[in-house]
Amino acid sequence: MLELPEGLKHLPHYLGEDEQQALVAEIRDVVSKAPLFTPVMPRSGQPMSVRMTNCGPLGWVTDKEKGYRYQQYHPDTGVRWPPIPRRLLDLWHQLTGLDYEPEACLVNFYADSAKMGLHQDRDEAEFSAPVLSISLGNSCLFRIGGADRKDKTQSFRLDSGDIVLIGGASRLNFHGVDRIYPETSTLLKNGGRINLTLRRVTPAP
Ligand code: MD3
Ligand code: FE
């Protein structure tokens, strides 16, 4: 019997088809105002295979010179990120039970060939708040380990409409996306996968 890391909650198929479709429409609107960009690794400038954008007062960005950070503006257009859609804020309050709002919603878009290497999320100043993740479109193979890169990892599949809440002891665990499973969802006409993560970045009020 394998158990998920303490503090990680997987809610399979939490969102129904209609709510998933509504979210995709809202994300398309976000992308029309804040176009997807290709993030690069600090120092090496190596492009990642995932494309990204954000909504909310702060957005996660990266470039060769300044590295990983949160900022108020889109890195290419210099325009402030669009607001987080009400539907996502409602889900945050319902699922976290917190009365304060998330500040960043990172939108990851995976083509069917994209993946994300094992990493920690540690660019936030507030680790007591959980991260809320929503998967849309094709399924993926998600991997999570421990707080040390060498800790053993376990993998499970995330399907469209699944929600993962990452808090407590698992908040600083290494994790990544090993692969996308093509043609496992009809939600996105051109395939691929979208992952949304809602995050508190600055200390909670
Ligand atoms: C476990 N995204 O954006 S979401 C990321 O599917 C990221 O796009 C993946 O890793 C994706 O940073 C995974 C689930 C998730 C999000 C944050 C975590 C798992 C996490 C933070 C700590 C531990
Ligand atoms: Fe992450």
Side-chain angles (χ1 to χ4, degrees), residues 8 50 52 106 108 110 116-117 119-121 131-135 140 142-144 158 164 166 170-177 193-197 199:
L8 187 145
V50 179
M52 299 179 172
L106 175 60
N108 292 152
Y110 295 79
M116 187 181 282
H119 67 278
Q120 284 176 303
D121 289 16
V131 174
L132 192 165
S133 150
I134 300 172
S135 293
C140 77
F142 174 74
R143 181 208 293 256
I144 184 155
L158 294 178
V164 181
I166 309 98
S170 60
R171 178 64 181 77
L172 290 171
N173 285 9
F174 280 85
H175 59 281
V177 172
R193 169 176 182 263
I194 294 169
N195 181 262
L196 310 176
T197 47
R199 302 150 185 269

Side-chain angles (χ1 to χ4, degrees), residues 17 20 136-139 157 159-161 181-192:
E17 189 74 27
Q20 294 176 43
L136 297 166
N138 284 340
S139 302
R157 187 177 159 127
D159 297 325
S160 194
Y181 297 106
E183 287 171 63
T184 46
S185 165
T186 53
L187 187 70
L188 307 175
K189 293 129 280 301
N190 297 316

Side-chain angles (χ1 to χ4, degrees), residues 3 9 17-18 35 66 77 83 94 98 173 188 192:
E3 283 188 22
K9 287 194 199 92
E17 189 74 27
D18 291 355
K66 288 188 271 177
T77 66
Q94 274 169 38
L98 294 168
N173 285 9
L188 307 175

